[in-house]
Amino acid sequence: MSNTDDFKRYICKVCGYIYDEARGDPDSGLAPGTRFEDIPDDWYCPDCNVTKADFTALEPRAAEPDTTAVASVWSGPEGGNDPDAIVIIGGGMAGWALAESLRERDPHRTIRLITADSGDYYSKPRLSNAIQREVAPADLVEETGPARAARLRIELMPFLRVLDVQRERKRVITPRGGIAYGQLVLATGARPRQLAFAGGAEAPLVVNSLDDYRRLRVALEAGAAAPERTRVAIIGAGLVGCELADDLSAGGYPVALVERAPGPLSGLLPSLLAEDLRAALEACGVQWHTGATVERIEMSEQGCRRLSLAGGDTIEAEVVISALGLVPNRALAERIGLACHQGIEVDAFLGTTDPAIHALGDGCEFDGRLRPYVETLRGQAAALARTLSGEPTAYQPDAGIVQVKTSSLPLNVRPPQQSDAGAGEWVEIVGDGTGRHLEYYARGRVAGFALSGVHARGVRELERRLGQPASASDEHRHRLAS
Ligand SMILES: Cc1cc2nc3c(=O)[nH]c(=O)nc-3n(C[C@H](O)[C@H](O)[C@H](O)COP(=O)(O)OP(=O)(O)OC[C@H]3O[C@@H](n4cnc5c(N)ncnc54)[C@H](O)[C@@H]3O)c2cc1C
């Protein structure tokens, strides 16, 4: 008989999904109480399709976090003057991953985490597949900010926005006073790109935080109409737009998806898979408007929103979501004179142009690229924790695999790097009713891959093959994917 007190939790290192032994995963047939070691080897992360090997055990939750938790929440600037403190700005997955890794390495260092939001910990990737599972916003919270701060023995300063940094005095300026730092880390993340549309309707919703998800739920439930009577228009068929279209249509909502490019996820997917994804979403009822741009959004007499597309088409919807990509939050870094390009520029050690300030996560630009993914921020947090604990460690970039969590067609893609793009060709290894397995060959080597359907599960095997000699036979080479 299992002792329910010792149920453990395991986190998917790739997307942040948490397997809780107490809850199991009934959707994939794992009853509550199923131990992680008893899960069959052919089980895959329900959110991103990687195997058990990509999960790692989480620290046990503090049994009764509340009393200590309150003590760990900062209440004013008096205690904020330890000149050796590590101060982290940002309570998203990157800020918290760093706090956790730092505490593992150094039990005594003062760590302060300042964040404009509540600091409650949740896995952001779950925001784009929670509607069909009817997950309430509160149930997405894995651990409240105070409980997490208490467990890690750090000071959390929630609902506090950093306004400025006095670099020469090593002080962070907030509306509640100044806070000294020895080392400062910017984990300020990214915000949704918003366009201003003519027409006078209020701005479309976005989905980039737990509060955004709350607002989306409220909008979907307004008027208590059944899902099939609540039409949703999504602007942008990138990663988030496609995942939301998949999630909402699986939840019963009629979805119209507007995209300026000829197909979904342009620039990421080979065209064959873009077509497959388009067809898969269409089969779920998604109405596509590709090669189309929204010019106006206005309220109609019936109280819904009317989107006017260039060319004259119109779409009516009760809920409008904008999913036009993310913009790194670099304004603070720019204001204090740190080098920025698309994001906050960092070197191999995640250092900015100020030796006392580092950056990680969605807000930073490493090696000339933005890498807004969970696997990246976790690798960065691990390396930076070592560096800040006195063991300078260069961040080794991960393979850059992108998971697309569309349940109608799961995808795992590793696009060719810039130096290989155009120097090779996509080869179809398998393409049948179960999905596709494409490899990108450049200079005789595997330089990328794109997997869909059941083949998406082979992602780690393909990752190992990156850089290895291309192995498809000539017969396969004839089956070129365009
Ligand atoms: C819908 C959706 C689905 C996704 N799915 C996947 C997926 O399947 N796989 C994957 O790898 N990635 C996915 N991602 C991306 C992934 O979630 C992000 O890479 C990750 O969450 C970024 O974490 P972050 O901490 O860097 O940034 P953020 O989450 O943006 O956190 C930034 C934090 O900084 C705080 N902040 C900013 N400025 C200030 C200031 N001046 N003062 C105080 N606080 C400040 C903010 O309040 C916030 O707490 C998805 C993203 C979205 C939106």
Side-chain angles (χ1 to χ4, degrees), residues 279-299:
L281 288 173
E282 204 160 54
C284 299
V286 172
Q287 200 185 84
W288 282 96
H289 297 265
T290 45
T293 47
V294 175
E295 290 197 324
R296 297 174 66 79
I297 308 178
E298 49 209 337
M299 295 301 291

Side-chain angles (χ1 to χ4, degrees), residues 14-15 89-95 114-117 124-125 127-128 160-162 187-190 207-208 240 243 329 332 361-362 372-375 377 403 405:
V14 175
C15 74
I89 306 177
M93 295 181 84
I114 310 175
T115 188
D117 52 26
K124 195 183 271 195
L127 298 179
S128 53
L160 191 61
R161 182 165 287 280
V162 171
T188 46
V207 180
N208 186 47
V240 171
E243 290 184 351
N329 287 323
L332 176 64
D362 279 13
Y373 303 109
V374 173
E375 198 166 6
L377 67 86
Q403 292 84 33
K405 307 185 297 296

